Amino acid sequence: MKITVIGAGYVGLVSAVCFAELGNKVLCVEKSSSKLDELSRGMSPIQEPGLTEILDKNLEEGRIRFSDSIKEGVDFSKVIFICVGTPQSENGMADLSQVEEVSRQIAMHMGEYKLIIEKSTVPVKTHELIRRTIKRYAREDLEFDVASNPEFLREGFAVYDFMNPDRIVIGVESKRAVEIFQEIYQPFTENGNTLFVTKTSAAEIIKYASNSFLAIKISYINMLADLAEKVGVDVDMIAEGVGRDKRIGRDFLNAGIGYGGSCLPKDVNAFIHMAENYGLDFGLLKETEKINLNRRKQFLEKVEKLLWINRDKKIAVWGLAFKANTDDVRDAPSLGIVKGLLETGAQLCLYDPEAMENFKTIFSESKKLNYVEDKYDALHESEALLVLTEWDEFKEADLKRIKELMKLPIVVDGRNIFNRDKMESEGFEYHGMGR
Ligand code: UDX
């Protein structure tokens, strides 16, 4: 099949490259000339396991190419995926200006039937605005469909998740559109996946509802972490016991300093605002957000309580990325925690295997803050080690070496990655979250 993808951001690029890998001919439209240049040379602007390899392979085999022309994209295929950015605007709603602009341009260049698919995360009823825009700007006699096909990729697993979906959600209003989707996703349906075909508004809601549910799970276990701490039990035990109920499941019940990233915080917030527009109060999600933001504050309080006074004390920080296996620091809990520590006058030494460059664009090096290239170098003379990301290399670290290097062996584990008994038997003063 021929497929056009507009927008080579996270979702767009991964989708374009994966559709090409599945044997389709793909044209990916991107307006940034520097990005286009990189992509045409086989370099991916985002780091995702396997992405560069399949980008190179498909460029070489002529199944994918890049262009800055929406007209070319519209002429290329009857299937057009809109994957442009929908950043959070100041009022908490998604900013849809790029979606509107692309819809107008598609309309102006259309000469025959098109299936226009929103893959970006957009508020409910956006498909109606896209449809109205296309109707206004396109030739009157032209037929078209607007559909929703939300994406559920996790950072660090994007290619894997695209190729091994839990579910493929299709929001459509016509039989013709369903048939085209069946063709697009045939490689998956042949392997036993089924398409979940629903109304377009339902598909739009499913994306927000999924991310919000994950956020609720995390805040729920974090709420229980507070109780566990007061009572004197480990929250991990509670997560294990509760999670063994198949209806609940153990995933996303890891307590800690809370969720971050480019999706969960933004989507929860946008969902709350979307509900408000319908006169509904999503108090459950407001509480989820509140618990999440409080985690950072509670972590800071925990550190300050342990050290009594932070001023001029050397503190090592391991982990800046919002989660392991990514260099992304957007909305990462580390941002608020580092800011809070600096406000108390602590002397910080930061390390992250991937995210330091991104973090430096927000917190540059100073007298009170420096970065090191080796995790052990962060520990010299430190009076506490704070763990903010669940990287495997931290879990596997040499505990004896850590203890030798530190001035005081105090570990505050914001992600509960260490075994408490083991830490204590090695002579650490160990503090987790809800343990
Ligand atoms: C998420 C969704 O999982 C994905 O389906 C959607 O398409 C995009 O948003 P992502 O942002 O990559 O993916 O990260 P995810 O793995 O969901 O983790 C989100 C945050 O929650 C991270 O900060 C992580 O550390 C935190 N988290 C996750 C917890 O604090 N506890 C958990 O048990 C799980």
Side-chain angles (χ1 to χ4, degrees), residues 152-153 155 218 252-254 259-260 263 322-323 390 415:
F152 303 100
L153 308 175
E155 283 189 31
I218 298 169
F252 278 72
L253 285 181
N254 294 320
Y259 60 80
C263 289
F322 82 95
K323 66 171 191 179
E390 62 280 26
R415 298 293 188 174

Side-chain angles (χ1 to χ4, degrees), residues 311-327:
R311 180 156 298 281
D312 297 330
K313 289 195 176 136
K314 194 175 164 206
I315 297 179
V317 176
W318 278 9
L320 302 169
F322 82 95
K323 66 171 191 179
N325 305 314
T326 175
D327 63 355

Side-chain angles (χ1 to χ4, degrees), residues 288-327:
T288 298
E289 248 185 355
K290 191 172 132 204
I291 292 173
N292 195 53
L293 289 175
N294 246 334
R295 301 308 288 167
R296 303 166 192 198
K297 215 169 115 220
Q298 282 167 280
F299 184 83
L300 284 167
E301 283 165 5
K302 199 183 274 259
V303 174
E304 198 149 25
K305 203 164 150 199
L306 288 168
L307 299 184
W308 190 10
I309 301 289
N310 286 356
R311 180 156 298 281
D312 297 330
K313 289 195 176 136
K314 194 175 164 206
I315 297 179
V317 176
W318 278 9
L320 302 169
F322 82 95
K323 66 171 191 179
N325 305 314
T326 175
D327 63 355

Side-chain angles (χ1 to χ4, degrees), residues 302-429:
K302 199 183 274 259
V303 174
E304 198 149 25
K305 203 164 150 199
L306 288 168
L307 299 184
W308 190 10
I309 301 289
N310 286 356
R311 180 156 298 281
D312 297 330
K313 289 195 176 136
K314 194 175 164 206
I315 297 179
V317 176
W318 278 9
L320 302 169
F322 82 95
K323 66 171 191 179
N325 305 314
T326 175
D327 63 355
D328 198 341
V329 298
R330 281 175 290 174
D331 247 317
S334 61
L335 295 170
I337 291 172
V338 165
K339 182 169 175 278
L341 291 167
L342 287 173
E343 281 164 7
T344 61
Q347 174 78 45
L348 303 182
C349 197
L350 313 184
Y351 170 77
D352 187 283
E354 302 277 351
M356 289 197 290
E357 287 314 308
N358 284 335
F359 209 78
K360 278 181 194 169
T361 63
I362 303 161
F363 291 95
S364 46
E365 233 156 335
S366 69
K367 265 208 291 202
K368 285 285 189 186
L369 178 149
N370 70 304
Y371 293 88
V372 287
E373 293 299 326
D374 181 302
K375 60 180 172 293
Y376 295 108
D377 288 345
L379 302 170
H380 294 286
E381 291 302 304
S382 62
E383 304 200 24
L385 164 61
L386 316 183
V387 180
L388 306 187
T389 313
E390 62 280 26
W391 286 100
D392 279 346
E393 71 164 72
F394 301 158
K395 295 179 192 166
E396 291 151 10
D398 180 343
L399 296 179
K400 289 200 169 37
R401 195 162 161 207
I402 298 177
K403 185 154 178 281
E404 269 165 30
L405 290 166
M406 293 181 74
K407 187 168 172 183
L408 292 179
I410 300 177
V411 174
V412 192
D413 183 355
R415 298 293 188 174
N416 290 350
I417 61 168
F418 290 119
N419 178 297
R420 179 192 159 96
D421 292 339
K422 174 119 181 74
M423 293 302 279
E424 286 177 355
S425 70
E426 291 285 346
F428 285 97
E429 183 182 328

Side-chain angles (χ1 to χ4, degrees), residues 104-116:
R104 249 186 305 126
Q105 296 211 27
I106 293 172
M108 289 189 294
H109 297 302
M110 261 166 60
E112 57 188 349
Y113 171 86
K114 301 287 169 192
L115 170 60
I116 297 135

